[in-house]
Amino acid sequence: MSMNTFGHLFRVTTWGESHGPALGATVDGCPPGVAISEEMIQQWLDKRKPGQNKFTTQRQEADQVRILSGVFEGVTTGTPVQLMIENTDQRSKDYGDIAEKFRPGHADITYWQKYGVRDYRGGGRSSARETAARVAAGGLAREAIKMLAPGVEITGYMTQVGPHGIDRARFDWDQIAQNPFWAPDAEAAEAWATYLGELRKSGNSVGAVVEVIARGVPAGIGAPVYAKLDTDLAAAMMSINAVKGVEIGEGMNAATLTGEDNADEIFMGNDGQPVYSSNHAGGILGGISTGQDLVVRFAVKPTSSILKTRQTITKSGEAAEIITKGRHDPCVGIRAVPVGEAMMACVILDHLLLHRGQVGGQIGENRGKIG
Amino acid sequence: MSMNTFGHLFRVTTWGESHGPALGATVDGCPPGVAISEEMIQQWLDKRKPGQNKFTTQRQEADQVRILSGVFEGVTTGTPVQLMIENTDQRSKDYGDIAEKFRPGHADITYWQKYGVRDYRGGGRSSARETAARVAAGGLAREAIKMLAPGVEITGYMTQVGPHGIDRARFDWDQIAQNPFWAPDAEAAEAWATYLGELRKSGNSVGAVVEVIARGVPAGIGAPVYAKLDTDLAAAMMSINAVKGVEIGEGMNAATLTGEDNADEIFMGNDGQPVYSSNHAGGILGGISTGQDLVVRFAVKPTSSILKTRQTITKSGEAAEIITKGRHDPCVGIRAVPVGEAMMACVILDHLLLHRGQVGGQIGENRGKIG
Amino acid sequence: MSMNTFGHLFRVTTWGESHGPALGATVDGCPPGVAISEEMIQQWLDKRKPGQNKFTTQRQEADQVRILSGVFEGVTTGTPVQLMIENTDQRSKDYGDIAEKFRPGHADITYWQKYGVRDYRGGGRSSARETAARVAAGGLAREAIKMLAPGVEITGYMTQVGPHGIDRARFDWDQIAQNPFWAPDAEAAEAWATYLGELRKSGNSVGAVVEVIARGVPAGIGAPVYAKLDTDLAAAMMSINAVKGVEIGEGMNAATLTGEDNADEIFMGNDGQPVYSSNHAGGILGGISTGQDLVVRFAVKPTSSILKTRQTITKSGEAAEIITKGRHDPCVGIRAVPVGEAMMACVILDHLLLHRGQVGGQIGENRGKIG
Amino acid sequence: MSMNTFGHLFRVTTWGESHGPALGATVDGCPPGVAISEEMIQQWLDKRKPGQNKFTTQRQEADQVRILSGVFEGVTTGTPVQLMIENTDQRSKDYGDIAEKFRPGHADITYWQKYGVRDYRGGGRSSARETAARVAAGGLAREAIKMLAPGVEITGYMTQVGPHGIDRARFDWDQIAQNPFWAPDAEAAEAWATYLGELRKSGNSVGAVVEVIARGVPAGIGAPVYAKLDTDLAAAMMSINAVKGVEIGEGMNAATLTGEDNADEIFMGNDGQPVYSSNHAGGILGGISTGQDLVVRFAVKPTSSILKTRQTITKSGEAAEIITKGRHDPCVGIRAVPVGEAMMACVILDHLLLHRGQVGGQIGENRGKIG
């Protein structure tokens, strides 16, 4: 990844600040012929946008995406696609009192130290608002994947809020769209609602864990050693604001397993394709997909913009206190779900293209046959 | 990262298979004038090499590095440095019986499916032998860091073997070099020795967690949004063989913390530099270093090459059993410690250069002053 | 360069079609603190824009640039700068009759063959309109250069129109801004006016040669072997629409010179800096700047959009005739002058940053001293 | 291109100095399954190597290439291929007297100024010896092209030595391999032999022009706007030592042509493929191949290492004289012919892969059909 661009062939460059006129994604390398419209992308932005429910930030943004280039008569041309979202509800006055102070836990201080100039309004470029551009790019990636690898399905959901996890025995795909948390466990969703309601009233916040699954991904994508599929997924998720940990498959828990327990044994399936006894690997071996579900998890830290006084310093080096007023998000992890899905889509598409570039063949076709 | 190269300005391309004539690292973009010799690099390879103690693989490799270019009269010239390590002890016959079978948990099957050809000897390119090249590159990076940012210290150690973690209350830096596990806790080292001795006898293996700390890193390095310092560290560690999870600071545990508990408050230190009340952030905010210790952790899964029979298939799609004979590593995570240190060094150097490229200034000097 | 992005640290991605809603440049890696405004960039666009004089295309575009990100309180923040130009005067009906035909000498046929979809209006992405985005990016680069290397001056001019060249004995810098051709030779300017007037009436067109000089560039920039300064300049100029040849210094003529005549001998100047007896090298040796004037020349072919009937085929493979109606440019090379300047600025800035990234030091300071 | 690597998917990193232990090319991204051996590559190195005839440098290098990785059982694995060439005949004493002086026309002074350290033996990294690594990589590229696009033929030859050009009316492909100049005109070859014999006796040198043609390249490769095929070819050729100009098709002469004369009109051929009335475009329109011959030319300046005294300075800033003793090349352009062919091969292969990556399809198949 290079500064503000990620991807090898499907290359996304995001731009824009929280309180600037607009933000967006310049998407280069999209295959031609992908049917795309503003509506197709908008649905994913609507899933992400603030003001959506009482558990996420109350900023009201229309988040209307415009396609400014790269599409002609309803399909991509293979030239760069500019996806722009205008900022409409900045409410600068909510942030005006922190021009001089550095909010603890935010990038205010590091952006200042590094660049010597910072757009303090809403966190400027460090704001999670940047993720709207990713979600737009992810919407385009999804449509390209539909065209190239129609069996792929990408779904994100929350598995943990604070110390409260889901019960995987109650896992139900249909629940995900039924509650404000994209929780696949209805009981957990209720518990979280109560828990977050209290947190919100007390002006505090908490972290969360998001899991993103991709089903139907062909085996064989990923480019070892440094563009391994898991490497690119780790980078993609870690680049999301407030993420502090990324896991593939068993994740950190793999450390506790023995070799006997961890290995996914291999058998021939009925359809002449290899099948595995389990999926501790999370769908990736040696950085290349196995054809099993890709399983990625990431932890989002709690926001530091809370309604409690924190100690900090000013630019001139004086001690100060700071407290967030106005909008406050008890759990920013919730809005990371569509962002994680978008990143998964972009990385998968990128690797489908990268594989056919270096190795060739039809998408889904393996150069090395088995059987 | 692009296929077999990582880094933006300090660019490392590794090459070589486990049983080929040689392997190495082509290092491009090293600053000129860095004092370097084969001995300076060799010390880090010696730390990594197999046959070192009874807990790691018994393959006897001299792992002698040769510098073939980019150094003149004892200093780097600024041109590519070729670091080559010849393979001397391949023992092909140990692997000859798996030309047709795919070892579960390894990349044999995915390399076959992707490329349609695979060097099955010792795992070919997917072998952890590739990490010797990284360690060599890391040795060069360390010397460049000594020249450019002399206060930086990079240290890796193990914090967990299987389910057994260290006790951080007993953390002792001096212990790290005193035991075969680079454990900073003498009691844990003893417990691990017993545990792994039993595992080894039973032909099994287990995972581990490695932590790498970098102290004295200047604030302000890291290039948001997609070359954030934590993004590049996550990618670097996830690219290491058998890694399944990466954490920065609190890592996955950040999900359980509240905003009140997680934020590191900011104060002015005696030396006119900001200091923080804690370091949940792991030294990175918004993808940029804060000047605090960089704290990175990664989990290594247990090797699947164990002395127990596993179910698998052959290239022709027939069911088969497989068992590893000969060399067997009860805990591959041990050798990942110097590899993690090497990756940390490469990423830090890369970002020191990237920062001075885009922003300028002396290394360690912040463009944005405080106080 | 990677598809629609050029540059290593100062990275410019252009987007937009001739008849789309807008076009622009996403500029990543600009140093922070550069004073910039829309007016500062607009001046360069005004120099380029169509409808400016009777020798260039009569399309009337305001070419108003808007800065949508990356600038705060009048200076760059170090985050991506989005420069957008809205298309206002597309006149689709001028092109409507070539949806099915491929204009000879244009990219219509190759875009169709490659992508299977093409925006035929005005040449879509292949249109020289894309160069407006480059000129905008060049305007930003110029301001960054002013801040980092204030002695640098970049000037472009025409040295040849059709078979008629300037007389270098009459070279006068002050003439460049005095005629519609940016010709440094007043007599040549008059001759060209007559010549092009006739060409225009007869519906024909002709090629041209543009030369761009950069004075005051510090010695030592350029990154051998594959990011040599001349390599990047050649790529930059060759990427401009209709360019068919690029020269550095003596250029193609270097083939006719003997070693005795071609070498620029070296002496010590009064200010303790090396000086050269001549500049056949065009300011570059071994891909690195010498401190002498950088001299780059490129040839622009004549446009094929002329008011003469040409033979071609349709998408369905039938023979057809085609003739351009409406707007017609007798010499597209004229508008390439500000584009060449913009590319020179972008490449120089990129290399100033790249040098200080890998080698360090103050801009203009050489690591290797002489004297 | 990034410092010492060129290519997007087929990525070549060269390393090594003229008088170091070895030099080579690390080739990443080669498609798997390409049949390759050291002999297949050696033939191209033999074409290039010094000591071959009395018109090129008398240094005797075996230039034996070794394949150290990335090949298994005679085919590429898709992992990095290390091609190494050991230096055997350095004759350091021939260069020992210029440790302190800068040879005019060479990169000695600029490498010193930039890096503050230089390997002065034989020009170090700036030596044309580096091109041996390119030729090795080109040998591998040729084999990959044979597998993927078997109709492609790449041929280089000289069209001009000093002021003496070939007569295109006498152009004969069979002559190219029959004389030491790769001249396609037997009479020109004789004239050049006489001319260079005199130059060599007088201790002088002269420049040359090399032309490289690629026939049978499918239409549709090239990635506008900044990875246009001509952009990458220009960069590739300009990066060769001593090159000062690059042309595509008509090249600089395109400036003198009118639109009526320059356009290549389009017709349907008998085989249902478009054909063109002429090829002023050199096989490229809008940066994408047309299916016609790719025609690239580059000018090589005369070497400055001649047996005539030149004025220069020393590192300490004192005036000095310098004269080359021993080996001397009257026309370095001759050895650039196989280098130009190698670059053409690498760029074409890279673009075949890039096209199938972004757009898909079988190589040679156009997404946009005609007829």
Side-chain angles (χ1 to χ4, degrees):
Chain A
M1 295 188 174
S2 181
M3 278 189 267
N4 288 282
T5 300
F6 71 92
H8 305 272
L9 286 185
F10 184 76
R11 301 173 56 78
V12 178
T13 304
T14 65
W15 55 272
E17 282 77 52
S18 179
H19 283 63
L23 60 107
T26 310
V27 183
D28 194 11
C30 186
V34 176
I36 192 69
S37 68
E38 288 170 353
E39 292 72 36
M40 288 173 174
I41 296 178
Q42 192 62 48
Q43 60 175 317
W44 305 108
L45 285 162
D46 291 345
K47 188 169 171 178
R48 175 202 164 279
K49 76 182 182 192
Q52 180 147 267
N53 63 55
K54 62 179 199 251
F55 299 105
T56 59
T57 312
Q58 302 314 311
R59 176 169 166 177
Q60 297 296 338
E61 282 285 354
D63 270 358
Q64 287 295 315
V65 68
R66 288 186 60 201
I67 297 176
L68 298 181
S69 69
V71 177
F72 182 64
E73 293 180 350
V75 295
T76 53
T77 55
T79 63
V81 180
Q82 182 63 248
L83 302 171
M84 183 173 81
I85 298 163
E86 291 183 71
N87 280 326
T88 58
D89 178 30
Q90 292 103 319
R91 289 200 217 175
S92 283
K93 62 179 173 1
D94 280 351
Y95 292 98
D97 60 337
I98 60 145
E100 291 305 306
K101 298 178 186 173
F102 303 118
R103 297 170 298 164
H106 285 270
D108 300 358
I109 187 171
T110 50
Y111 267 62
W112 171 253
Q113 290 176 301
K114 180 181 182 75
Y115 296 115
V117 55
R118 76 169 176 115
D119 181 346
Y120 56 80
R121 304 167 302 166
R125 177 70 175 157
S126 70
S127 161
R129 187 130 185 73
E130 183 268 344
T131 61
R134 304 180 191 220
V135 170
L140 175 56
R142 280 176 177 275
E143 297 305 319
I145 290 172
K146 270 189 201 166
M147 185 177 95
L148 298 183
V152 173
E153 283 184 61
I154 295 166
T155 315
Y157 44 85
M158 296 190 72
T159 58
Q160 188 178 325
V161 168
H164 309 296
I166 60 170
D167 181 337
R168 292 202 182 251
R170 288 197 302 261
F171 195 103
D172 179 356
W173 292 99
D174 295 330
Q175 280 299 316
I176 293 170
Q178 309 284 355
N179 60 74
F181 306 105
W182 293 292
D185 169 356
E187 288 185 39
E190 283 187 40
W192 293 347
T194 304
Y195 176 59
L196 288 178
E198 289 161 9
L199 266 182
R200 191 159 164 267
K201 288 204 200 79
S202 70
N204 208 344
S205 67
V206 79
V209 177
V210 176
E211 186 165 282
V212 185
I213 299 260
R215 293 172 281 178
V217 176
I221 70 169
V225 170
Y226 297 104
K228 285 176 173 176
L229 187 57
D230 45 357
T231 299
D232 282 359
L233 285 169
M237 304 308 177
M238 190 63 84
S239 76
I240 300 172
N241 308 65
V243 171
K244 284 302 188 183
V246 184
E247 303 186 309
I248 305 283
E250 283 290 332
M252 297 307 289
N253 190 51
T256 66
L257 301 178
T258 65
E260 193 168 13
D261 293 334
N262 185 58
D264 306 313
E265 292 177 291
I266 317 175
F267 302 87
M268 278 309 278
N270 292 329
D271 61 348
Q273 289 297 315
V275 295
Y276 296 78
S277 61
S278 45
N279 190 18
H280 298 286
I284 299 175
L285 282 176
I288 299 170
S289 60
T290 60
Q292 296 170 285
D293 292 352
L294 291 183
V295 181
V296 186
R297 256 180 330 279
F298 58 91
V300 184
K301 71 178 188 181
T303 180
S304 305
S305 289
I306 53 181
L307 310 187
K308 292 175 184 292
T309 304
R310 323 297 298 151
Q311 299 301 317
T312 187
I313 59 176
T314 64
K315 259 200 254 177
S316 43
E318 287 163 15
E321 285 185 348
I322 194 165
I323 185 168
T324 300
K325 297 195 189 70
R327 300 182 251 185
H328 142 251
D329 225 312
C331 184
V332 293
I334 299 172
R335 266 195 291 142
V337 172
V339 182
E341 291 180 326
M343 301 311 284
M344 177 72 95
C346 290
V347 171
I348 288 173
L349 176 63
D350 191 33
H351 276 275
L352 289 171
L353 302 183
L354 200 56
H355 176 77
R356 79 176 176 183
Q358 187 196 5
V359 179
Q362 297 295 322
I363 288 189
E365 167 194 354
N366 292 132
R367 188 164 193 275
K369 313 296 182 204
I370 295 176
Chain B
M1 294 188 176
S2 181
M3 281 189 265
N4 289 283
T5 301
F6 71 92
H8 305 272
L9 286 186
F10 184 77
R11 299 171 58 78
V12 179
T13 303
T14 64
W15 54 271
E17 281 77 51
S18 179
H19 281 64
L23 60 107
T26 311
V27 184
D28 195 11
C30 188
V34 177
I36 192 70
S37 68
E38 287 169 354
E39 292 71 36
M40 287 174 175
I41 295 178
Q42 192 63 46
Q43 59 175 318
W44 305 108
L45 285 163
D46 291 344
K47 188 171 172 179
R48 176 199 164 281
K49 76 181 180 192
Q52 179 150 265
N53 64 54
K54 63 178 199 246
F55 298 104
T56 59
T57 312
Q58 302 314 311
R59 176 170 167 178
Q60 296 295 338
E61 282 284 355
D63 271 358
Q64 286 297 315
V65 67
R66 288 185 59 199
I67 297 177
L68 298 181
S69 69
V71 177
F72 182 66
E73 294 181 349
V75 296
T76 53
T77 55
T79 64
V81 179
Q82 183 62 244
L83 303 171
M84 183 174 80
I85 298 163
E86 290 182 72
N87 281 326
T88 58
D89 179 32
Q90 292 102 319
R91 291 202 216 174
S92 281
K93 62 181 179 348
D94 280 353
Y95 292 98
D97 62 332
I98 60 146
E100 292 305 307
K101 295 178 186 173
F102 303 117
R103 299 169 298 163
H106 285 270
D108 300 359
I109 187 170
T110 50
Y111 267 61
W112 170 254
Q113 288 176 303
K114 181 180 182 74
Y115 295 114
V117 55
R118 76 171 175 114
D119 180 347
Y120 55 80
R121 305 165 301 163
R125 177 71 175 155
S126 70
S127 160
R129 186 131 186 72
E130 182 269 345
T131 61
R134 302 181 192 216
V135 171
L140 175 56
R142 281 175 176 275
E143 297 305 319
I145 290 172
K146 271 188 201 165
M147 187 178 94
L148 298 183
V152 173
E153 281 184 64
I154 296 167
T155 316
Y157 45 85
M158 296 191 71
T159 58
Q160 189 176 325
V161 168
H164 309 297
I166 60 171
D167 183 336
R168 293 203 181 250
R170 288 196 300 260
F171 195 105
D172 178 356
W173 293 97
D174 295 330
Q175 280 300 315
I176 294 170
Q178 310 284 356
N179 61 75
F181 306 106
W182 292 292
D185 169 357
E187 288 186 40
E190 282 188 43
W192 293 347
T194 304
Y195 176 59
L196 289 178
E198 287 162 10
L199 267 181
R200 192 159 164 267
K201 289 206 200 76
S202 70
N204 209 344
S205 67
V206 80
V209 177
V210 175
E211 186 166 281
V212 185
I213 299 259
R215 294 172 279 178
V217 175
I221 71 169
V225 171
Y226 298 105
K228 286 176 173 177
L229 188 57
D230 44 356
T231 298
D232 281 0
L233 286 168
M237 303 308 176
M238 190 63 84
S239 76
I240 300 172
N241 308 65
V243 171
K244 284 303 188 185
V246 184
E247 303 186 309
I248 305 283
E250 283 291 331
M252 297 307 288
N253 189 52
T256 67
L257 301 178
T258 65
E260 193 167 11
D261 293 334
N262 184 58
D264 307 312
E265 291 178 292
I266 317 175
F267 303 88
M268 278 309 279
N270 293 329
D271 62 347
Q273 289 298 316
V275 297
Y276 295 78
S277 61
S278 46
N279 190 16
H280 298 287
I284 300 175
L285 283 176
I288 299 170
S289 60
T290 60
Q292 297 170 284
D293 291 352
L294 291 184
V295 181
V296 187
R297 255 179 331 281
F298 58 91
V300 184
K301 71 179 188 181
T303 181
S304 304
S305 290
I306 53 180
L307 309 187
K308 291 177 185 290
T309 303
R310 322 298 297 149
Q311 299 301 316
T312 188
I313 59 177
T314 64
K315 257 200 254 177
S316 43
E318 286 162 16
E321 285 186 346
I322 193 166
I323 186 167
T324 300
K325 296 197 188 68
R327 300 182 248 183
H328 142 250
D329 225 314
C331 185
V332 293
I334 298 171
R335 266 194 290 142
V337 172
V339 183
E341 292 180 327
M343 300 311 284
M344 178 72 96
C346 290
V347 172
I348 288 174
L349 175 63
D350 191 33
H351 276 274
L352 289 171
L353 302 183
L354 200 56
H355 176 75
R356 78 175 176 184
Q358 187 196 1
V359 180
Q362 297 297 320
I363 288 190
E365 167 194 355
N366 293 134
R367 187 163 195 275
K369 313 297 181 205
I370 295 177
Chain C
M1 296 185 175
S2 182
M3 282 189 267
N4 288 284
T5 301
F6 70 93
H8 306 272
L9 285 186
F10 184 77
R11 300 172 57 78
V12 179
T13 304
T14 64
W15 55 271
E17 282 77 51
S18 179
H19 282 63
L23 60 106
T26 310
V27 183
D28 195 10
C30 187
V34 176
I36 192 69
S37 68
E38 289 170 354
E39 291 71 37
M40 289 173 173
I41 294 178
Q42 192 62 49
Q43 59 174 318
W44 305 108
L45 286 162
D46 291 344
K47 190 169 171 180
R48 177 201 164 277
K49 77 181 179 190
Q52 181 148 265
N53 64 53
K54 61 181 202 249
F55 299 103
T56 59
T57 312
Q58 301 314 314
R59 176 168 166 178
Q60 297 295 338
E61 281 285 354
D63 271 357
Q64 287 297 315
V65 67
R66 288 185 60 200
I67 297 176
L68 297 182
S69 68
V71 177
F72 182 65
E73 294 181 347
V75 295
T76 54
T77 55
T79 64
V81 180
Q82 183 61 245
L83 303 171
M84 183 173 82
I85 298 163
E86 291 182 72
N87 280 326
T88 58
D89 179 31
Q90 292 103 320
R91 289 201 217 175
S92 282
K93 62 182 178 352
D94 280 353
Y95 292 97
D97 61 336
I98 60 145
E100 291 305 306
K101 297 179 187 172
F102 303 117
R103 298 169 297 162
H106 286 269
D108 300 359
I109 187 170
T110 50
Y111 267 62
W112 171 253
Q113 290 176 302
K114 179 181 183 73
Y115 295 115
V117 55
R118 75 169 177 118
D119 181 348
Y120 56 79
R121 305 167 301 165
R125 177 71 175 156
S126 71
S127 160
R129 189 133 183 72
E130 183 269 345
T131 61
R134 304 181 192 218
V135 170
L140 175 56
R142 281 176 176 275
E143 297 305 319
I145 290 171
K146 270 188 203 166
M147 186 177 94
L148 299 182
V152 172
E153 281 184 63
I154 295 167
T155 316
Y157 43 86
M158 297 189 72
T159 58
Q160 188 177 327
V161 169
H164 309 295
I166 60 170
D167 182 338
R168 292 202 182 250
R170 287 197 301 259
F171 194 104
D172 179 354
W173 293 99
D174 295 331
Q175 281 299 316
I176 294 169
Q178 308 285 356
N179 61 74
F181 307 105
W182 292 291
D185 169 356
E187 289 186 39
E190 281 187 40
W192 293 346
T194 304
Y195 176 60
L196 288 179
E198 288 161 11
L199 266 182
R200 191 159 164 265
K201 288 203 201 80
S202 71
N204 208 344
S205 67
V206 79
V209 176
V210 176
E211 185 167 282
V212 185
I213 299 261
R215 293 171 280 177
V217 175
I221 70 169
V225 169
Y226 297 105
K228 286 175 174 177
L229 188 57
D230 43 357
T231 298
D232 282 359
L233 286 169
M237 303 309 177
M238 190 64 83
S239 77
I240 300 172
N241 307 65
V243 171
K244 285 302 188 183
V246 184
E247 302 186 310
I248 306 282
E250 282 290 332
M252 298 306 288
N253 190 51
T256 66
L257 301 178
T258 65
E260 193 167 13
D261 293 335
N262 185 59
D264 306 313
E265 292 178 292
I266 317 174
F267 303 86
M268 279 307 279
N270 294 330
D271 62 348
Q273 289 297 317
V275 296
Y276 295 78
S277 61
S278 46
N279 190 16
H280 298 287
I284 299 175
L285 282 176
I288 299 170
S289 59
T290 60
Q292 295 170 288
D293 291 353
L294 291 183
V295 182
V296 186
R297 254 180 331 281
F298 58 91
V300 184
K301 72 178 188 181
T303 180
S304 304
S305 291
I306 53 180
L307 309 188
K308 292 176 183 291
T309 304
R310 321 299 297 151
Q311 299 301 317
T312 187
I313 58 175
T314 64
K315 259 200 253 176
S316 44
E318 288 164 12
E321 286 187 346
I322 193 165
I323 185 168
T324 299
K325 296 195 188 69
R327 301 183 249 183
H328 142 252
D329 225 313
C331 184
V332 294
I334 299 172
R335 265 194 291 142
V337 172
V339 183
E341 292 180 327
M343 299 312 284
M344 178 73 96
C346 290
V347 171
I348 288 174
L349 175 63
D350 191 32
H351 276 276
L352 290 171
L353 302 183
L354 200 56
H355 176 75
R356 78 176 177 183
Q358 188 197 2
V359 180
Q362 297 296 322
I363 288 189
E365 166 193 356
N366 293 133
R367 190 163 191 275
K369 314 296 182 207
I370 294 176
Chain D
M1 295 186 174
S2 180
M3 281 188 264
N4 288 283
T5 301
F6 70 93
H8 304 273
L9 285 187
F10 184 77
R11 299 171 59 77
V12 179
T13 303
T14 65
W15 55 272
E17 281 78 50
S18 179
H19 282 63
L23 60 106
T26 310
V27 183
D28 195 11
C30 188
V34 177
I36 192 70
S37 68
E38 288 169 353
E39 292 70 36
M40 287 173 175
I41 295 178
Q42 192 62 47
Q43 60 175 317
W44 305 108
L45 285 163
D46 291 344
K47 188 170 173 179
R48 176 199 163 280
K49 77 182 180 192
Q52 181 148 266
N53 63 55
K54 62 179 201 246
F55 298 104
T56 58
T57 311
Q58 303 313 314
R59 177 171 167 177
Q60 296 295 337
E61 281 285 353
D63 270 357
Q64 286 297 314
V65 68
R66 288 185 59 201
I67 297 176
L68 298 181
S69 69
V71 177
F72 182 65
E73 294 181 348
V75 295
T76 53
T77 55
T79 63
V81 180
Q82 183 63 247
L83 303 171
M84 184 174 80
I85 297 163
E86 291 182 73
N87 281 325
T88 59
D89 179 31
Q90 292 102 319
R91 292 202 214 174
S92 282
K93 60 181 176 354
D94 281 352
Y95 291 99
D97 60 335
I98 60 145
E100 291 304 308
K101 296 178 187 171
F102 302 118
R103 298 170 298 164
H106 285 271
D108 301 358
I109 187 170
T110 50
Y111 267 62
W112 171 253
Q113 289 176 302
K114 180 181 182 76
Y115 295 115
V117 54
R118 75 170 176 116
D119 181 346
Y120 56 80
R121 306 165 301 164
R125 178 70 175 156
S126 70
S127 160
R129 187 132 184 74
E130 182 269 345
T131 62
R134 301 180 193 219
V135 170
L140 175 57
R142 281 176 176 274
E143 297 304 319
I145 289 172
K146 272 189 200 165
M147 186 178 93
L148 297 183
V152 173
E153 281 185 63
I154 295 167
T155 315
Y157 44 86
M158 296 189 71
T159 57
Q160 188 177 324
V161 169
H164 309 296
I166 61 171
D167 183 335
R168 292 202 181 250
R170 289 197 300 260
F171 194 104
D172 179 356
W173 293 98
D174 295 331
Q175 280 299 316
I176 293 170
Q178 310 284 356
N179 61 75
F181 306 106
W182 291 293
D185 169 357
E187 288 186 40
E190 281 188 42
W192 292 349
T194 305
Y195 176 60
L196 288 179
E198 288 162 9
L199 266 182
R200 192 159 164 265
K201 290 206 200 80
S202 69
N204 207 345
S205 67
V206 79
V209 176
V210 175
E211 185 165 283
V212 184
I213 299 261
R215 294 172 280 178
V217 176
I221 70 169
V225 171
Y226 298 104
K228 286 176 174 177
L229 188 57
D230 45 356
T231 298
D232 282 0
L233 286 168
M237 303 309 176
M238 191 63 85
S239 76
I240 300 172
N241 308 66
V243 172
K244 284 302 188 186
V246 184
E247 302 186 309
I248 306 281
E250 283 289 333
M252 297 308 288
N253 189 51
T256 67
L257 300 178
T258 65
E260 193 168 12
D261 294 334
N262 185 59
D264 307 312
E265 292 178 291
I266 318 175
F267 303 87
M268 278 308 279
N270 294 330
D271 62 347
Q273 289 297 316
V275 296
Y276 295 78
S277 60
S278 47
N279 190 16
H280 299 286
I284 300 175
L285 283 176
I288 299 170
S289 60
T290 61
Q292 297 170 283
D293 291 352
L294 291 184
V295 182
V296 186
R297 255 179 329 280
F298 58 91
V300 184
K301 71 178 188 182
T303 181
S304 305
S305 290
I306 55 181
L307 309 186
K308 292 176 184 290
T309 304
R310 322 298 297 151
Q311 299 302 316
T312 188
I313 58 177
T314 64
K315 258 200 255 176
S316 43
E318 287 162 16
E321 285 186 350
I322 193 164
I323 186 167
T324 300
K325 297 197 188 68
R327 300 182 250 182
H328 141 251
D329 224 315
C331 186
V332 294
I334 299 171
R335 266 196 289 143
V337 172
V339 183
E341 291 180 327
M343 300 312 284
M344 178 72 96
C346 290
V347 172
I348 287 174
L349 175 63
D350 192 34
H351 277 275
L352 289 171
L353 301 183
L354 200 55
H355 175 75
R356 78 175 176 183
Q358 187 197 3
V359 179
Q362 297 296 321
I363 287 189
E365 168 194 352
N366 293 132
R367 187 163 193 275
K369 313 295 181 206
I370 295 176

